[in-house]
């Protein structure tokens, strides 16, 4: 990890990469270029980017089915990710995983699970292997607020602290599980209090204050790395789009479009001034990456499809 | 052959210096795992109670002393997460063995086993390996009842990416672990509580057990699973006294059936009896029978297994839940048209078992 003098330049660039990538998917999805469900991260890029930013080259990651942001954050080879989404032979997993399982094993991000919270227990095993070998890496595991209702999340928090495992648990709290509001799903008011009950060090942050979010992530990673103990970070956020698919879902009536304005206003791509940058910088980056990724998607769609003769390989 | 590796590896003397190659099922498991732990630092054992005084029916005795608490350790009662923990270790280069005192608890791990472990290698296009071993023990008798007696080998064998092994003899158990611990994909091994004190010669076999030949004969082909192999062989030995003999096979690898061997036998005997240690609906027995007929077999067949009920606790009911040696012998005699009268006493390991677990 190398902390830069002007970290937000790097962070904004990465966020723009992800937003542009997702915007192109929104633009092209109706052409059936991607023939699978997609769970987009529009408006929720920052937590993945910060996780990547505060991680070292050899650290590990566990993501989830809303997979694109983390994969783009850690990957060097964006073409391999696009080819995977397109079901092509040269995709990062030969087309076997697709959008819901996107990963980058070359950067210690295994394929992600489409079963809520299922990746979280794996993080404890990876962290234990690090500890057994006296290595200095850590594991970042990212999940949503719905995952906190799964039993394995509590089990993993308990075991991580019990075994003193170097894991950064990041809960992206957008208050929604598909169309179910948090108030209808849980009696937990403050996730950090529940994590604290396992004696885990916790950090509370929000997209409403990106500068504070940066500080909280920085502190969390520093604590985990220097104490070789788990930390639990909440990143309060908003989901701008529908749960699965490329559109908005205001028409369904279960939430109001006006509720999203607060998140759009504090978004560092919409308002880079919040973090000391300019709209011009943001616009240039968005235009640059949008053009780049449109060209890539339209070029890579002509690559070789996954080979049917290999269907039984690696069972 | 047992002696050969014993001599080549003097550290084995910490396990069974006086065994002369004859081991119980429990000792064979301990030897196979302990030997791999000596040879391969990536092998570790974990699960509720693996380092306690009872040590999983003696199969992990003193491992925590021999190998340290980082290679044999107790866990929280979190079967789901501890399975994912094992997957995380496995993709990181370890060969973890997760032990469950009863097979029934595998259902708490089903998500991690089926949705994660079984798919780790496939979805990554071979970039990730997942050599996770899951040990599960099926109970029987002294009121084990409906939730301490189940065997899910057919259910898990339905899943591509999982290998399910059901060893019935010490030799099979030893070689199951000996080979599984040198592979790159997840394996579920279902042991049986009633088999731990059974004895046999144990040695290293070149291949992982698939279908073991228990006896040779001419009148009928029998294929049996787990403890039913003991019950069936008792029937065969009784019938031998009346001039009736059987090709008897123990089915060990439920995920990759050696159909050719069974087919060659049934084409000779023209009679096939499958005895499962599980329910029969959608079972491995029916799959094998279907494949035999699809491969040209035209003789008789019969199939035995659990009653189609949960396992009851009361002994009077439990006695009807499982096939026993008497029933197996009666079915064989009926199939081959013999009028021999049989009377086989109940199995000693069942009648003598006074629990508590």
């Amino acid at each position: 990890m190398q902390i830069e003098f002007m970290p937000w330049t790097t962070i904004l660039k990465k966020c723009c990469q992800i937003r542009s990538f997702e915007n192109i998917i929104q633009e092209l999805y109706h052409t059936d270029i991607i023939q699978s469900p997609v769970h987009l991260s529009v408006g929720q890029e920052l937590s993945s980017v910060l996780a990547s930013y505060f991680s070292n080259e050899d650290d590990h990651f566990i993501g989830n089915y809303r997979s694109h942001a983390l994969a783009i954050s850690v990957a060097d080879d964006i073409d391999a990710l696009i080819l995977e989404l397109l079901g092509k032979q040269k995709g990062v997993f030969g087309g076997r995983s697709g959008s819901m399982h996107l990963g980058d094993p070359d950067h210690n991000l295994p394929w992600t699970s489409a079963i809520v919270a299922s990746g979280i227990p794996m993080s404890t095993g990876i962290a234990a292997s690090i500890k057994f070998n006296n290595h200095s890496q850590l594991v970042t595991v990212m999940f949503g607020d719905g995952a906190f209702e799964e039993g394995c999340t509590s089990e993993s928090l308990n075991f991580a602290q019990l075994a003193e495992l170097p894991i950064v648990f990041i809960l992206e709290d957008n208050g929604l599980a598909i169309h179910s509001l948090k108030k209808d799903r849980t009696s937990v008011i403050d996730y950090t209090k529940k994590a604290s009950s396992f004696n885990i060090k916790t950090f509370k942050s929000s997209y409403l204050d990106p500068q504070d979010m940066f500080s909280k992530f920085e502190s969390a990673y520093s604590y985990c790395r220097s104490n070789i103990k788990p930390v639990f970070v909440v990143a309060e956020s908003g989901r701008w789009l529908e749960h699965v698919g490329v559109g908005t879902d205001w028409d369904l009536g279960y939430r109001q479009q006006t509720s999203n304005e607060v998140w759009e206003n504090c978004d560092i791509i919409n308002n880079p001034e919040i973090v000391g940058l300019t709209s011009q910088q943001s616009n240039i980056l968005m235009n640059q990456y949008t053009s780049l990724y449109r060209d890539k998607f339209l070029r890579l769609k002509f690559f070789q499809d996954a080979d049917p003769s290999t269907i039984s390989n690696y069972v | 052959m047992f002696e050969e590796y014993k001599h080549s590896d003097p550290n084995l003397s910490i396990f069974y210096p006086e065994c002369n190659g004859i081991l119980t099922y429990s000792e064979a498991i301990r030897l196979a795992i302990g030997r791999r732990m000596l040879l391969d630092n990536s092998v570790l054992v974990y699960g509720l109670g693996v380092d306690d005084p009872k040590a999983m029916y003696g199969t992990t005795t003193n491992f925590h002393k021999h190998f340290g608490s980082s290679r044999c350790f107790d866990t929280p009662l979190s079967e789901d997460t501890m399975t994912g923990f094992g997957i995380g270790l496995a993709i990181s280069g370890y060969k973890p063995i997760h032990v469950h005192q009863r097979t029934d608890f595998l259902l708490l791990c089903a998500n991690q086993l089926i949705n994660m472990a079984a798919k780790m290698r496939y979805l990554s296009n071979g970039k990730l390996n997942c050599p996770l071993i899951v040990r599960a023990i099926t109970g029987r008798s002294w009121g084990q009842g409906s939730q301490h007696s189940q065997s899910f080998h057919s259910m898990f064998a339905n899943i591509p990416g999982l290998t399910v092994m059901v060893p019935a003899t010490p030799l099979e158990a030893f070689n199951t672990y000996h080979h599984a611990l040198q592979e790159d994909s997840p394996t579920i091994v279902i042991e049986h509580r009633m088999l731990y004190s059974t004895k046999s010669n144990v040695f290293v076999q070149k291949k992982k057990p698939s279908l073991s030949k228990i006896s040779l004969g001419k009148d009928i082909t029998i294929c049996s699973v787990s403890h039913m192999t003991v019950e069936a062989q008792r029937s065969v030995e009784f019938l031998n006294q009346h001039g009736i003999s059987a090709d008897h096979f123990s089915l060990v690898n439920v995920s990759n059936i050696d159909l050719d061997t069974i087919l060659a036998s049934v084409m000779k005997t023209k009679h096939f009896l499958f005895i499962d240690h599980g329910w029969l609906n959608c079972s491995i027995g029916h799959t094998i029978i279907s494949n035999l007929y699809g491969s040209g077999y035209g003789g008789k067949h019969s199939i035995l297994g659990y009653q189609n009920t949960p396992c009851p606790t009361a002994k009077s009911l439990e006695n009807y839940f499982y096939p026993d040696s008497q029933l197996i012998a009666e079915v064989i005699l009926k199939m081959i048209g013999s009028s021999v009268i049989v009377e086989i006493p109940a199995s000693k390991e069942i009648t003598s078992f006074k629990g508590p677990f």
Side-chain angles (χ1 to χ4, degrees):
Chain A
M1 182 175 63
Q2 190 176 4
I3 303 294
E4 297 171 37
F5 180 64
M6 289 289 289
W8 285 106
T9 307
T10 301
I11 292 166
L12 178 67
K13 183 178 173 184
K14 208 63 166 173
C15 286
C16 288
Q17 269 187 274
I18 299 166
R19 181 76 57 86
S20 306
F21 188 97
E22 304 273 62
N23 284 350
I24 293 303
I25 291 174
Q26 289 182 285
E27 180 183 309
L28 298 177
Y29 197 64
H30 75 281
T31 67
D32 296 342
I33 192 171
I34 297 173
Q35 297 181 18
S36 76
V38 290
H39 301 74
L40 302 186
S41 306
V42 173
Q44 291 182 258
E45 299 89 350
L46 187 56
S47 44
S48 292
V49 173
L50 289 177
S52 170
Y53 184 80
F54 288 113
S55 293
N56 290 337
E57 187 76 11
D58 55 353
D59 284 341
H60 294 253
F61 303 89
I62 296 288
N64 56 67
Y65 51 86
R66 201 171 299 284
S67 62
H68 302 177
L70 186 57
I72 296 166
S73 293
V74 303
D76 295 326
D77 186 359
I78 300 296
D79 285 15
L81 298 182
I82 295 173
L83 287 164
E84 185 63 31
L85 297 184
L86 302 181
K88 301 298 182 183
Q89 191 173 310
K90 290 193 174 172
V92 62
F93 296 130
R96 290 168 174 225
S97 288
S99 172
M100 286 198 287
H101 310 293
L102 198 61
D104 182 11
D106 291 341
H107 290 86
N108 296 330
L109 172 63
W111 57 262
T112 53
S113 175
I115 308 297
V116 175
S118 288
I120 299 173
M122 271 173 58
S123 68
T124 65
I126 297 169
S129 79
I130 291 168
K131 194 163 179 177
F132 290 156
N133 288 300
N134 292 317
H135 290 164
S136 59
Q137 301 111 307
L138 53 75
V139 185
T140 293
V141 54
M142 303 190 68
F143 49 96
D145 48 300
F148 208 84
E149 290 143 38
E150 299 286 358
C152 67
T153 306
S154 296
E155 291 180 0
S156 296
L157 289 168
N158 174 54
F159 185 63
Q161 179 67 12
L162 185 72
E164 298 189 336
L165 301 175
I167 303 173
V168 179
F169 292 94
I170 298 176
L171 189 160
E172 295 181 276
D173 177 13
N174 64 22
L176 290 170
I178 308 181
H179 308 131
S180 299
L181 306 180
K182 198 193 298 182
K183 69 179 179 58
D184 298 323
R185 297 183 281 112
T186 182
S187 54
V188 174
I189 296 168
D190 185 341
Y191 294 118
T192 59
K193 283 187 178 171
K194 189 171 177 192
S196 295
S197 72
F198 294 106
N199 288 322
I200 294 181
K201 178 86 170 167
T202 64
F203 300 84
K204 199 185 290 188
S205 69
S206 173
Y207 276 64
L208 294 174
D209 188 344
Q211 296 274 17
D212 181 66
M213 197 166 153
F214 180 93
S215 299
K216 294 290 171 53
F217 272 64
E218 184 177 33
S219 299
Y221 276 83
S222 173
Y223 182 92
C224 180
R225 208 177 291 282
S226 54
N227 293 281
I228 315 179
K229 283 183 179 175
V231 294
F232 179 85
V233 184
V234 172
E236 185 193 21
S237 63
R239 195 184 79 205
W240 294 20
L241 303 178
E242 59 186 334
H243 164 69
V244 57
V246 298
T248 57
D249 61 1
W250 312 118
D251 57 310
L252 296 179
Y254 71 98
R255 58 178 181 152
Q256 299 299 313
Q257 185 168 3
T258 51
S259 67
N260 206 49
E261 288 172 5
V262 64
W263 304 113
E264 292 172 13
N265 289 338
C266 64
D267 177 59
I268 66 165
I269 297 174
N270 285 352
N271 285 308
E273 291 80 6
I274 298 170
V275 292
L277 302 176
T278 66
S279 294
Q280 188 187 13
Q281 286 174 285
S282 171
N283 290 337
I284 289 171
L285 286 167
M286 284 301 292
N287 289 336
Q288 176 192 330
Y289 284 117
T290 299
S291 174
L292 175 69
Y293 292 144
R294 183 184 292 109
D295 290 347
K296 281 182 182 290
F297 271 87
L298 293 176
R299 179 172 56 85
L300 296 173
K301 75 174 182 176
F302 295 109
F303 273 47
Q304 180 76 42
D305 287 339
D307 180 1
S309 71
T310 66
I311 189 169
S312 296
N313 291 357
Y314 307 118
V315 174
Chain B
M1 279 189 276
F2 178 80
E3 290 298 318
E4 284 172 13
Y5 71 67
K6 187 176 158 189
H7 290 313
S8 66
D9 188 352
N11 286 328
L12 287 175
S13 61
I14 64 174
F15 294 109
Y16 302 107
E18 307 297 336
C19 68
N20 295 321
I22 304 293
L23 294 176
T24 65
Y25 190 87
S26 169
E27 291 167 341
I29 292 167
R30 180 167 177 261
L31 178 60
I33 295 173
R35 182 171 181 271
R36 290 309 309 169
M37 290 178 82
L38 283 170
L39 299 172
D40 182 351
N41 287 332
S42 72
V43 178
L44 55 85
V45 180
Y46 70 98
L48 188 66
V50 293
D51 57 355
D52 74 13
K54 292 192 175 181
M56 293 292 159
Y57 304 101
T59 58
T60 58
T61 300
N62 289 333
F63 277 3
H64 61 297
K65 292 179 183 170
H66 291 313
F67 301 110
S69 59
S70 65
R71 295 186 65 198
C72 178
F73 50 92
D74 207 356
T75 69
L77 284 77
S78 305
E79 287 83 358
D80 181 15
T81 281
M82 296 319 301
T83 306
F85 167 75
I87 296 167
L89 281 170
I91 67 169
S92 303
Y94 281 85
K95 290 177 177 165
I97 304 173
H98 189 195
V99 191
H100 300 272
Q101 297 198 24
R102 283 295 179 265
T103 306
D104 315 72
F105 289 80
L106 287 189
L107 298 184
L108 296 170
C109 318
N111 175 53
Q112 288 294 332
L113 290 172
I114 296 171
N115 279 323
M116 304 298 286
K119 295 165 177 58
M120 199 51 63
R121 197 157 177 257
Y122 191 81
L123 286 198
S124 70
N125 209 18
K127 291 183 176 178
L128 298 170
N129 288 325
C130 187
L132 170 69
I133 308 289
V134 177
R135 285 183 57 195
I137 299 158
T138 297
R140 177 175 169 177
S141 206
W142 201 257
Q144 296 295 300
S146 61
Q147 295 180 340
H148 275 34
S149 61
Q150 300 170 98
S151 181
F152 300 118
H153 50 275
S154 286
M155 190 177 88
F156 282 110
N158 186 241
I159 308 300
L162 294 178
T163 296
V164 182
M165 305 288 287
V166 195
T169 69
L171 179 63
E172 292 170 0
F174 177 89
N175 282 286
T176 290
Y177 288 108
H178 175 75
H179 288 281
L181 284 166
Q182 298 178 74
E183 295 180 344
D184 291 328
S185 54
T187 301
I188 297 173
V189 185
I190 299 179
E191 302 166 13
H192 198 284
R193 170 70 182 86
M194 290 296 148
L195 295 173
Y196 284 121
S197 59
T198 59
K199 289 186 175 183
S200 78
N201 196 24
V202 170
F203 50 89
V204 176
Q205 294 175 310
K206 285 182 181 174
K207 291 183 179 176
K208 186 167 70 175
S210 175
L211 190 73
S212 294
K213 189 169 284 187
I214 305 297
S215 71
L216 281 170
K218 59 180 174 40
D219 299 305
I220 189 167
T221 302
I222 300 169
C223 189
S224 55
V225 177
S226 188
H227 180 253
M228 284 300 137
T229 296
V230 175
E231 295 279 19
Q233 190 56 21
R234 201 175 282 121
S235 307
V236 169
E237 287 169 6
F238 178 86
L239 294 174
N240 284 165
Q241 299 167 24
H242 298 274
I244 298 164
S245 63
D247 271 355
H248 180 196
F249 300 102
S250 166
L251 179 64
V252 187
N253 188 340
V254 188
S255 302
N256 186 13
I257 304 297
D258 178 6
L259 194 73
D260 290 346
T261 300
I262 303 173
L263 184 64
S265 175
V266 295
M267 296 304 265
K268 175 185 70 177
T269 65
K270 307 296 183 194
H271 296 86
F272 181 61
L273 172 61
F274 191 90
I275 311 160
D276 206 345
H277 204 300
W279 291 290
L280 297 177
N281 192 34
C282 304
S283 67
I284 189 64
H286 282 302
T287 297
I288 290 174
I289 289 165
S290 169
N291 288 341
L292 286 175
Y293 284 115
S295 301
Y297 175 59
K300 294 181 181 176
H301 83 273
S302 189
I303 184 166
L304 294 171
Y306 292 173
Q307 290 286 333
N308 194 27
T309 68
C311 180
T313 298
K315 187 67 180 167
S316 59
L317 296 174
E318 194 203 58
N319 286 342
Y320 285 93
F321 181 75
Y322 298 101
D324 61 10
S325 301
Q326 175 72 20
L327 176 65
I328 293 166
E330 288 172 359
V331 170
I332 292 170
L333 291 168
K334 187 177 178 186
M335 286 181 74
I336 65 173
S338 169
S339 58
V340 168
I341 305 296
V342 294
E343 191 170 339
I344 306 176
S347 305
K348 277 187 183 173
E349 68 271 18
I350 305 295
T351 55
S352 65
F353 182 59
K354 303 296 182 188
F357 193 55

